[in-house]
Amino acid sequence: MRRGILYGLIAATAFVGVAEAQTTLRASHQWPTGKGDVRDEMVQIIAREVEKANVGLAIQVFGNASLFKPNDQWGALTRGQLDMSAFPLDYASGRIPQFSATLMPGLVRNHERAQRMNDSDFMQDIKKLIEDEGVIVVSDAWLAGAFASKKGCITSPDTIKGQVTRAAGPAFEQMLAAAGASISSMPSSEIYTGMQTGVLDATNTSSGSFVSYRLYEQVKCLTAPGENAIWFMYEPILMAKSSFDKLTPEQQKALMDAGQVAEDFFVEEAQKIDQEMIDVFKQNNVEVVEMSKEDYDAWLKVAQESSYKHFSENVPGGKELIEKALAVE
């Protein structure tokens, strides 16, 4: 009997030792979990890959803005209150204004160019700014985006006049205001309610968010990215460097390897997201159109006279950042 108790105590002590050796990271994002959103899936892939590596590391994923509000995640990362997060980097542009370049109208245009951006001088400058704030990039991701309205199709700049629209980030707000729109700022997770309550007539956001937040229930017309996407957004998986530095070398390698798996998954899925959005909106009887080359050029001219100009004149190094982005072949 005593021997059985003794063995039980030894086993319990060993279990506690294993539990204490396990490091658990908290990952936060605003997207619906388990509903197919590619950004949630990227974080879930990292969690699964890290678990498979068996290095005493686990990642607990908090979706649906259940841990931090969307705009609070950057501050939580830099203060070491949060280990990992996925959100549009532009959400942090209020603190680091240069980040607005990662959601600047017309700088990316298509998925092929987005992939080339990752290794460009432009992104080296952006990542240096990220790292200077005590944060590192685990996975790169560029999402295309669309426009939609309850009133009609948004194609050329004059089609937005008089509409109250949500714009993703200050650069788009400046461009849309210059085209005659009224602006109502809110995170993408609040667009549905904004449209439902009549606060918004129109919106732009990523293709993934259009589906995840069921915006097809609220709009009459969707302007899909197509070959002339004015809207692209950098939305990486980020990690607090203070959290990363606490990991063992084996854990660090497992985490970064997992980040590469998630990034590779995203590259394969990126254009599928746009097509899924188109299919879902058409199935729900929403008209779907694309911008023509002439529409794109007209929006680019508005952007150059508004958001590009403001960014170049008011953000340190802003002119150089735009030039480096435009130089990517």
Side-chain angles (χ1 to χ4, degrees):
M1 181 68 177
R2 279 193 208 165
R3 183 178 296 177
I5 294 172
L6 180 60
Y7 286 158
L9 289 171
I10 291 172
T13 302
F15 177 80
V16 171
V18 170
E20 289 176 345
Q22 179 88 354
T23 298
T24 301
L25 304 175
R26 297 187 307 163
S28 166
H29 66 70
Q30 72 195 64
W31 323 113
T33 53
K35 300 291 181 66
D37 188 287
V38 69
R39 294 153 296 190
D40 170 59
E41 186 57 25
M42 285 182 75
V43 182
Q44 302 288 354
I45 285 172
I46 293 173
R48 291 195 296 267
E49 290 294 314
V50 163
E51 183 179 4
K52 280 164 50 178
N54 194 28
V55 291
L57 184 62
I59 298 173
Q60 188 174 6
V61 182
F62 296 84
N64 297 289
S66 59
L67 190 60
F68 287 95
K69 292 180 180 179
N71 291 328
D72 293 339
Q73 293 174 116
W74 174 259
L77 283 174
T78 59
R79 291 190 296 268
Q81 298 171 335
L82 175 63
D83 301 307
M84 297 180 66
S85 187
F87 62 91
L89 188 63
D90 186 77
Y91 279 11
S93 62
R95 301 189 185 203
I96 313 296
Q98 292 89 344
F99 289 169
S100 280
T102 63
L103 186 49
M104 186 69 66
L107 279 190
V108 179
R109 190 165 186 163
N110 57 54
H111 290 284
E112 291 75 17
R113 184 181 172 90
Q115 291 310 303
R116 296 194 295 274
M117 294 288 278
N118 287 335
D119 298 319
S120 67
D121 290 342
F122 167 75
M123 283 307 298
Q124 286 182 18
D125 289 353
I126 294 296
K127 288 182 179 179
K128 174 66 164 54
L129 291 166
I130 292 172
E131 291 166 7
D132 286 347
E133 295 296 311
V135 179
I136 62 172
V137 175
V138 176
S139 303
D140 289 312
W142 289 90
L143 284 86
F147 291 76
S149 173
K150 296 167 67 173
K151 292 188 171 182
C153 297
I154 298 170
T155 50
S156 60
D158 63 302
T159 58
I160 197 71
K161 285 181 181 177
Q163 296 198 54
V164 179
T165 184
R166 180 265 186 179
F172 268 88
E173 289 180 352
Q174 290 154 11
M175 180 188 73
L176 292 168
S182 298
I183 305 300
S184 181
S185 299
M186 63 186 70
S188 56
S189 54
E190 297 176 11
I191 295 172
Y192 188 100
T193 302
M195 289 194 151
Q196 189 177 44
T197 57
V199 172
L200 292 178
D201 300 315
T203 188
N204 57 65
T205 190
S206 68
S207 299
S209 290
F210 268 107
V211 176
S212 294
Y213 294 127
R214 309 187 321 278
L215 298 183
Y216 48 81
E217 296 177 357
Q218 295 295 325
V219 302
K220 290 183 178 178
C221 185
L222 173 81
T223 308
E227 293 298 315
N228 299 292
I230 199 79
W231 200 106
F232 259 87
M233 172 183 70
Y234 182 59
E235 190 168 320
I237 309 295
L238 300 173
M239 183 171 187
K241 190 173 185 301
S242 59
S243 299
F244 185 78
D245 289 344
K246 293 175 184 176
L247 303 180
T248 67
E250 293 78 15
Q251 290 172 335
Q252 291 177 348
K253 182 180 186 303
L255 182 64
M256 297 308 290
D257 287 349
Q260 188 61 56
V261 173
E263 184 175 321
D264 293 343
F265 163 80
F266 174 80
V267 171
E268 290 294 320
E269 293 295 312
Q271 296 188 51
K272 296 179 186 177
I273 299 168
D274 297 344
Q275 188 58 51
E276 179 192 6
M277 173 184 65
I278 291 168
D279 293 343
V280 168
F281 273 67
K282 284 183 175 179
Q283 289 165 10
N284 284 272
N285 300 314
V286 176
E287 183 179 0
V288 178
V289 300
E290 294 181 4
M291 287 186 186
S292 66
K293 171 75 163 52
E294 292 71 26
D295 293 332
Y296 175 89
D297 289 341
W299 276 113
L300 196 59
K301 186 173 187 296
V302 175
Q304 289 168 339
E305 295 171 351
S306 54
S307 49
Y308 284 30
K309 183 174 186 292
H310 183 274
F311 190 79
S312 296
E313 293 176 352
N314 295 280
V315 175
K319 183 174 184 292
E320 291 77 12
L321 275 173
I322 288 178
E323 289 174 347
K324 287 182 178 181
L326 291 173
V328 176
E329 294 297 329

